[in-house]
Amino acid sequence: MRLSAIGDISHTLPVVRTLQKAWPQTRITWVIGKLEHSLVHDIPGIEFVVFDKSKGWRGYAELRRAVAGRRFDVLLHMQMSLRASVASLLIPADIRLGFDRTRAKDLQWLFTNARIEHRDREHVIESFFGFTDALGIRERVLAWDIPIPEEARRFARDHLERGKPAFVISPCSSMDYRNWTIEGYAAVGDHVAERHGMQVVLCGGPSAVERRYADGIRQRMKQPVTDLVGKTSLKELLAVLNAAEVVLSPDAGPAHLATAVGTPVIGLYAATNPDRARPYLSADLVINKYPEAACSKYGKEADAVPWGARVRAPGTMSRISPADVIEVVDAIHSGAGRRTSRTGQE
């Protein structure tokens, strides 16, 4: 069970791929959220059961009906929320494996009868691999392989200029405190267009905040911008990220989707700790202002702050300057920055 969010669904996929390789005869059922299902529904070898939280009690009733008369050997309870834990009670399973007592937020430990080993200060993907470790699977398969339909690839081709590298800006997170500045994005966009001849593409969802960011970036930029904010399905977004040369994003789902298709990500981190939540394959492209932000907020070195602690103070993300991002972009183009290897999704 992992219902949401998009970034964590991406983090879960290597665990699923590891299970598929280690136990190829094992039947896997994934209980997942409605939106997230639209991203991964066509992965072969997995039965998906959608839990639609927007339906309230009817969502629970539908889940009960979907698993009625069945019993599972193991439930991997990978979602720490009270809603998910209550839903988990509807799934008959002999072993109900959850997080260790220290990390089991929202009382998750009350809903499980087995727990993964506690390990300190892990990236989210590493913590998820604790579930396969607990099952005795030691090899880790760091693969995603999310299918991209031809119609989604066609959408990307129709909106990206042939022969011109695409610089995708996904400016917003689901949490405002993680978002960088409109002015910063505009300055970087103009730089990559003027200096490196790149097509600047804005991506994001249909929320009012994302629309405000997109409009603000377009108004401040001198160079042309392709605005796809609110205009893509998750599959179309994945196709655009797959075709991009590089992605610029704060701590948000698109950064992890770009990782899933092997596209380098310049991650913007000040409000959250990149050691826990950075784009997993782009560690050397992260701009990390979290240590100074954490020190200012908590009066401690980042290593002494509780793992996962966030800095929500206004202006935190402004610690990142356009020059910080431009330096990384220029390093990539000079060959000094590492390029993430592709994962067979071209």
Side-chain angles (χ1 to χ4, degrees):
M1 170 176 274
R2 181 73 215 191
L3 304 176
S4 61
I6 293 300
D8 286 321
I9 294 301
S10 178
H11 294 331
T12 303
L13 270 170
V15 173
V16 175
R17 295 307 191 189
T18 297
L19 287 169
Q20 288 179 316
K21 182 176 181 182
W23 296 345
Q25 303 306 314
T26 297
R27 294 170 58 191
I28 298 174
T29 299
W30 187 341
V31 182
I32 192 169
K34 182 180 179 180
L35 173 65
E36 294 75 13
H37 178 249
S38 70
L39 174 68
V40 297
H41 66 93
D42 48 358
I43 293 179
I46 303 173
E47 173 197 17
F48 289 95
V49 173
V50 175
F51 176 69
D52 187 352
K53 64 182 181 181
S54 69
K55 292 184 176 181
W57 66 266
R58 288 181 298 165
Y60 293 94
E62 289 177 0
L63 174 59
R64 181 190 290 275
R65 287 194 295 270
V67 297
R70 304 169 64 180
R71 189 164 191 87
F72 298 90
D73 295 298
V74 182
L75 166 66
L76 306 186
H77 187 356
M78 300 175 71
Q79 182 94 28
M80 288 185 287
S81 73
L82 189 57
R83 177 189 288 113
S85 289
V86 171
S88 77
L89 295 177
L90 304 176
I91 303 171
D94 297 329
I95 299 172
R96 312 177 68 83
L97 182 62
F99 285 92
D100 57 276
R101 181 69 178 268
T102 301
R103 292 182 288 183
K105 297 178 182 178
D106 293 331
L107 303 177
Q108 192 212 46
W109 57 274
L110 288 174
F111 298 83
T112 60
N113 60 18
R115 296 171 185 92
I116 66 174
E117 179 183 350
H118 174 70
R119 291 193 290 253
D120 287 325
R121 310 184 81 80
E122 289 185 311
H123 189 280
V124 174
I125 285 183
E126 299 295 334
S127 71
F128 285 1
F129 272 125
F131 285 83
T132 52
D133 290 345
L135 297 175
I137 302 172
R138 301 307 175 199
E139 181 184 1
R140 297 181 176 185
V141 179
L142 196 61
W144 289 263
D145 300 320
I146 306 172
I148 303 176
E150 177 54 33
E151 56 267 28
R153 294 184 186 276
R154 187 180 308 114
F155 175 91
R157 290 195 295 269
D158 289 345
H159 290 86
L160 301 181
E161 298 180 33
R162 185 181 299 274
K164 194 171 189 178
F167 185 89
V168 171
I169 298 175
S170 181
C172 294
S173 156
S174 59
M175 303 292 181
D176 285 349
Y177 69 87
R178 297 178 186 173
N179 295 341
W180 196 36
T181 65
I182 289 173
E183 295 79 10
Y185 286 123
V188 173
D190 276 333
H191 177 83
V192 299
E194 294 167 1
R195 175 78 177 270
H196 301 296
M198 304 183 80
Q199 177 188 3
V200 178
V201 182
L202 303 180
C203 286
S207 72
V209 170
E210 288 165 296
R211 184 71 264 152
R212 177 172 63 83
Y213 261 75
D215 291 344
I217 294 167
R218 286 191 298 104
Q219 290 165 7
R220 286 167 176 79
M221 280 187 60
K222 303 180 183 69
Q223 299 297 317
V225 184
T226 302
D227 183 0
L228 299 182
V229 171
K231 301 175 183 178
T232 60
S233 67
L234 282 177
K235 288 292 194 181
E236 289 166 345
L237 172 61
L238 192 68
V240 171
L241 296 173
N242 180 67
E245 183 83 3
V246 65
V247 173
L248 175 65
S249 175
D251 182 8
H256 305 299
L257 291 185
T259 296
V261 293
T263 299
V265 182
I266 301 174
L268 304 174
Y269 286 76
T272 54
N273 189 341
D275 291 340
R276 180 183 180 276
R278 61 170 166 78
Y280 196 66
L281 301 180
S282 297
D284 60 342
L285 303 182
V286 166
I287 297 167
N288 182 14
K289 300 294 183 177
Y290 179 76
E292 64 185 60
C295 185
S296 175
K297 170 70 174 178
Y298 298 105
K300 302 176 182 178
E301 296 296 320
D303 289 345
V305 171
W307 193 241
R310 298 169 174 85
V311 181
R312 294 180 169 88
T316 294
M317 290 297 290
S318 296
R319 293 176 181 275
I320 299 171
S321 71
D324 293 326
V325 182
I326 288 169
E327 180 180 0
V328 175
V329 172
D330 290 349
I332 291 172
H333 281 268
S334 71
R338 180 184 58 79
R339 294 298 308 279
T340 304
S341 62
R342 290 285 179 173
T343 57
Q345 300 212 40
E346 292 293 346

